[in-house]
Amino acid sequence: QVQLVESGGGLVQAGNSLRLSCAASGRTFYSYVVNWFRQAPGKEREFVAAISWSGNMTSYADSVKGRFTISRDNAKNTVYLQMNSLKPEDTAVYYCAAGQAYGSRWAADFGSWGQGTQVTVSS
């Protein structure tokens, strides 16, 4: 397994941008699929975006498609989530997770998780 640490969250106004980072330890990071999930207060954890091992495949939740971009730099053991045109409904704790199942949107398929980073979007 890999250890993951998220950063980059904060408080922004609607319409602005943030870039989240997910830094991983371990020399085999390139062999893991990475997803971003988020969880708002009182709601279930939901899928946000996914990126394949090499980064050549990505997928997004409909709610963020066209606004968020996931990318990775395996040389830096880091996955990014660029979030543009943020909305108040994007407010949540954002988690990155590593696993082997590209295309899965189920949290149970991911064995390594970060501690989360808070994103708050004010209207």
Side-chain angles (χ1 to χ4, degrees), residues 65-84:
K65 198 172 295 183
R67 299 188 297 122
F68 290 13
T69 302
I70 188 171
S71 62
R72 70 189 295 164
D73 184 339
N74 285 339
K76 296 182 178 180
N77 276 11
T78 303
V79 170
Y80 304 98
L81 185 68
Q82 178 67 44
M83 306 187 295
N84 297 330

Side-chain angles (χ1 to χ4, degrees), residues 19-100:
R19 188 176 80 158
L20 305 184
S21 297
C22 172
S25 63
R27 291 179 290 179
T28 61
F29 178 65
Y30 61 87
S31 67
Y32 287 87
V33 167
V34 176
N35 279 20
W36 284 96
F37 294 86
R38 67 186 181 186
Q39 188 165 19
K43 295 188 177 181
E44 293 186 354
R45 192 167 298 189
E46 65 175 0
F47 167 79
V48 175
I51 191 163
S52 62
W53 304 266
S54 64
N56 64 332
M57 294 187 292
T58 58
S59 65
Y60 299 92
D62 287 344
S63 58
V64 307
K65 198 172 295 183
R67 299 188 297 122
F68 290 13
T69 302
I70 188 171
S71 62
R72 70 189 295 164
D73 184 339
N74 285 339
K76 296 182 178 180
N77 276 11
T78 303
V79 170
Y80 304 98
L81 185 68
Q82 178 67 44
M83 306 187 295
N84 297 330
S85 302
L86 283 161
K87 304 176 181 180
E89 50 264 44
D90 294 318
T91 295
V93 177
Y94 283 70
Y95 300 89
C96 62
Q100 299 295 324

